[in-house]
Amino acid sequence: MTRRSVNWMELAGALMVAGLIIVAVLAPVIAPHDPTRAVAPTYGNPGPPSAAFPLGTDELGRDVLSRIIYGARISLTVGIAAVLVTLAIGVTIGLGAGFFGGTVDFLLMRFTDVMLTLPGLLLAMALVTVLGPSLITILTVIGLVSWTQIARVVRAETLTLSQRDFVIAARALGAPPRRLIVRHLLPNVMPIIVVMAALGTSGTLLLDAGLSFLGLGVPPPTPSWGRMIEEATIYFRTAPWLATFPGLAIFYAVMGFNLLGYGYLRRRGR
Amino acid sequence: MLIYLARRIVFGAVVLLGTSLITFLIAFVIPADPAVAMAGAKADPQTLATIRHELGLDQPLYVQYGRYLDRALHGDLGRSYIRRQSVTALIVSRFPATAILAVSAMALSLILGVLMGTVAAAWHDRPIDHTLLVFSLGLVSMPVFWLGTMLLIAGGLYLRDFPLGGFEGPRSLVLPTITLALGSAGYYSRILHTNLVEALGQDYVRTARGKGLSPARTMFKHAMANALLPLVTLAGLDLAGLLSGVVLTETVFDWPGIGRLAFEAIFNLDIPLIMGTVLFAAFLIVVANLAVDLLYLWLDPRIRLEQAP
């Protein structure tokens, strides 16, 4: 096993994610057009890629490139914020189960088992339909259906750590639970949490895109990549570029986070 | 061993009970009045009251849940508000289309995944391993509905007489199967690669090599046996997931399966049908968990011979 501090996968992933963040932050500077306004003369018909519009225009004459650039904002926001919600739930439950053990562990883990049997996408669809699609709803719902994996991993790590000498020593010295968790367990669980966050972001990005594709994403006119593909499906024969490019954008973002996460796991030999 | 099995069955039943409770509570929170959904917005209060009484909606919550559970145990999941058919019958009628797609996608993803994982592990840390690693991560990173759409575009452009949606004969199965299989194939190949590399570093494999066995024989006879076990769990649970319907792929290809049924149920707020499809999915997962446990007993002597705690 090579012992380099960072491997090429992590580096590539970090560069891809950094690029994505830059595009999202600088969207107004980079985007050649207003993403919500008709700028092409071909109003009513999608326009093919050209010198003026490198990725073509959609049926409302809007520039696809500009919409994808602005879409990075909403996709990245949803992806990262949803992972934070997921982590908040998953880490709390995992740490709680691993630290307190006994009945608490049993109940929390059986609850996790139940959540694991529920079909995530169906559950998310039902909740978004009932609560109405808004940014807050989507973040909450994605968090509610994706935390189980993180809870399990964090619980396993906590259980292992609790057997380590420094934790046992701290406990023997009379450290209260709060201090044990915050000062001793959490910092040591952090690396695996960061990896799960990277991998989790690729998951939430795909889930958000899937919901948007089913018409349950952040409502228009906000350009979201998933919604762009959904709107493009009726033109897939006449204007294939409409569905192709937003999908490549999702692929790029998800791939970046996956390289980051798997690169770390591979370096650690997991 | 019997105790072990009994424990697993009880555990599965408890999980299913919890699932049914959560499903029931979610359905209860949905702010749609079933009586209005059935009788129409213009129904008079008298009719609505009658329907509510017939459905048992005027009963306390725990009585409603008890009734629901009792009926579900007898295979009766209620009647769809919109389609006015038995939910069980609807699921049964959609199951063949979903099942054919699920089985073919699972077969393809296992073949591709095992192939890529084995090759990557055999040439660990060589260029081909790194190429396959990036390739399989790429497969995992593709949104499934986009891949499906891309295949439709390619099919429409280059394969003139290819069916573009619907379930009509074996040819219509090709594109949705590929769509579903590629992502899991990438995932399986990663898992198998990790397990194989770990197994190849174990003492018993080194012993086998030391005895003079060929690398290929060590790989397939010794390392593979252990490395495939975790894949069995994953594939079992994934198959259950596929059998309970795949909303995105079925939407792209207009596939008349359970995923579409669930999708329509959610859009119409057809509560019995939503609960039915969710519960069916959970049931399949629990059954798959049990099946995987049984398979492990057969595949892994360490569990079979272990004294049940």
Side-chain angles (χ1 to χ4, degrees), chain A residues 75-91:
Chain A
S75 295
L76 206 58
T77 310
V78 172
I80 291 175
V83 153
L84 292 179
V85 177
T86 311
L87 284 178
I89 306 175
V91 172

Side-chain angles (χ1 to χ4, degrees), chain B residues 35-293:
Chain B
V36 176
M38 287 182 85
K42 279 176 255 164
D44 59 290
Q46 189 64 47
T47 321
L48 290 180
T50 316
I51 294 177
R52 284 203 190 99
H53 182 69
E54 279 170 8
L55 291 174
L57 294 173
D58 49 356
Q59 303 278 333
L61 196 56
Y62 64 91
V63 176
Q64 289 187 41
Y65 177 62
R67 277 193 184 187
Y68 176 70
L69 210 57
D70 181 49
R71 288 193 190 138
L73 284 174
H74 294 92
D76 175 8
L77 294 170
R79 290 175 74 79
S80 154
Y81 294 154
I82 311 293
R83 292 171 173 265
R84 319 215 162 208
Q85 280 170 282
S86 134
V87 169
T88 316
L90 278 169
I91 291 178
V92 168
S93 75
R94 294 295 191 97
F95 189 66
T98 289
I100 289 175
L101 184 55
V103 171
S104 59
M106 179 50 70
L108 182 61
S109 58
L110 277 178
I111 292 171
L112 287 177
V114 170
L115 209 65
M116 289 195 295
T118 313
V119 170
W123 284 274
H124 182 57
D125 257 337
R126 305 276 184 80
I128 188 160
D129 177 25
H130 293 166
T131 313
L132 279 172
L133 177 59
V134 172
F135 182 68
S136 52
L137 281 187
L139 292 181
V140 177
S141 305
M142 275 190 292
V144 68
F145 58 91
W146 177 71
L147 175 61
T149 311
M150 290 300 106
L151 287 175
L152 273 181
I153 291 174
L157 287 179
Y158 304 110
L159 309 160
R160 290 282 150 177
D161 57 340
F162 230 75
L164 299 178
F167 176 34
E168 295 144 12
R171 285 170 71 85
S172 64
L173 197 59
V174 176
L175 295 182
T177 300
I178 297 175
T179 304
L180 269 178
L182 288 188
S184 328
Y187 188 50
Y188 295 157
S189 89
R190 284 339 311 151
I191 303 280
L192 184 64
H193 169 268
T194 311
N195 294 331
L196 269 177
V197 169
E198 200 190 312
L200 286 172
Q202 301 273 321
D203 287 342
Y204 73 93
V205 173
R206 242 177 280 157
T207 312
R209 288 283 289 134
K211 283 194 305 186
L213 286 184
S214 71
R217 207 174 149 75
T218 355
M219 171 80 101
F220 289 109
K221 280 290 286 186
H222 295 262
M224 195 62 99
N226 272 315
L228 274 179
L229 275 179
L231 214 58
V232 170
T233 312
L234 275 177
L237 295 183
D238 283 354
L239 184 63
L242 289 172
L243 284 173
S244 64
V246 277
V247 181
L248 290 168
T249 306
E250 288 182 12
T251 301
V252 172
F253 290 99
D254 205 11
W255 195 259
I258 296 174
R260 287 300 293 166
L261 190 68
F263 181 72
E264 286 160 22
I266 287 169
F267 262 75
N268 297 326
L269 285 182
D270 192 343
I271 297 168
L273 198 51
I274 299 177
M275 291 169 77
T277 45
V278 170
L279 212 54
F280 178 66
F283 175 71
L284 285 176
I285 296 279
V286 170
V287 170
N289 260 318
L290 271 177
V292 167
D293 285 339

